[in-house]
Amino acid sequence: MRIGVLGTGGMAAALGSAWARAGHEVFIGGRDAAAAEALAGRTGAAGHGTPAQAAGYGEVVLLAVPAGAAPELAREHAGALAGKTVVDCTNPLVPGPGGVMLTTAAGESVAGLIGAAAPEAHVVKAFNLAHVSRWQHPGDAFGATPPAVPFCADAPGAAGHVTELITGMGWSPMPAGGLDRAAYLEATAAFVIGVWWAGGSPALAFPETPGAA
């Protein structure tokens, strides 16, 4: 696939690199031209340029920008994003007195706000639960069973695109419902990241039943 990446930070680097290694054509778009060029060189991207160029590139677009900026960025490029699969990997989180907190209102998700800002795009919430460092490894680096990537999508075609991206990385797709359930993935990220920051292991909260296949 041809994939436009909007952003030049850690998630843009990790996912862009993984997709380029899997044989996809990746285009890095950033407001800082030098940063986009440098990241394209590190990831093996096919090209680099502006956010507008990335939004218009190919059939899939990754929004790898701060959560608070993602809906406005989607609105700015809504025309270019129409009909495309738009992947939202953001987490709307801030530190709170008792731990990590969501910045969104009750029942609201960044993915939903992106969908409202670019109503003709096919938004998918995905890749928001694992730390950026995890995406730098193939799925088989974690053992015999590939780790899962939960995702929320409404459009079957968009779900198919993301499934292909996940499996191409050696990970396992985990459909988690429609975009109306994206808020649950974002809330789960608040829990998971909060446990990490406290020095714990969130995986211990979800043990497998002994003897289960």
Side-chain angles (χ1 to χ4, degrees), residues 89-187:
C89 67
T90 69
N91 283 313
L93 307 176
V94 292
V100 178
M101 302 293 291
L102 293 168
T103 61
T104 46
E108 185 179 74
S109 71
V110 175
L113 295 174
I114 292 170
E120 294 184 50
H122 305 305
V123 181
V124 182
K125 186 77 189 186
F127 302 104
N128 72 307
L129 291 187
H131 187 269
V132 61
S133 62
R134 301 300 195 271
W135 304 121
Q136 298 167 0
H137 303 282
D140 59 11
F142 300 94
T145 303
V149 181
F151 67 90
C152 294
D154 288 336
H161 282 151
V162 171
T163 294
E164 182 179 346
L165 292 176
I166 294 168
T167 56
M169 297 165 62
W171 292 56
S172 176
M174 180 181 283
L179 205 62
D180 58 348
R181 295 179 59 82
Y184 297 131
L185 283 188
E186 295 178 4

Side-chain angles (χ1 to χ4, degrees), residues 9-38:
M11 287 296 286
L15 292 175
S17 295
W19 295 338
R21 287 195 302 271
H24 301 293
E25 295 182 26
V26 176
F27 185 98
I28 304 295
R31 298 188 190 280
D32 183 328
E37 182 178 8

Side-chain angles (χ1 to χ4, degrees), residues 14-70:
L15 292 175
S17 295
W19 295 338
R21 287 195 302 271
H24 301 293
E25 295 182 26
V26 176
F27 185 98
I28 304 295
R31 298 188 190 280
D32 183 328
E37 182 178 8
L39 182 56
R42 295 200 308 272
T43 59
H48 61 87
T50 65
Q53 288 174 305
Y57 188 87
E59 58 264 61
V60 176
V61 175
L62 172 70
L63 293 183
V65 297

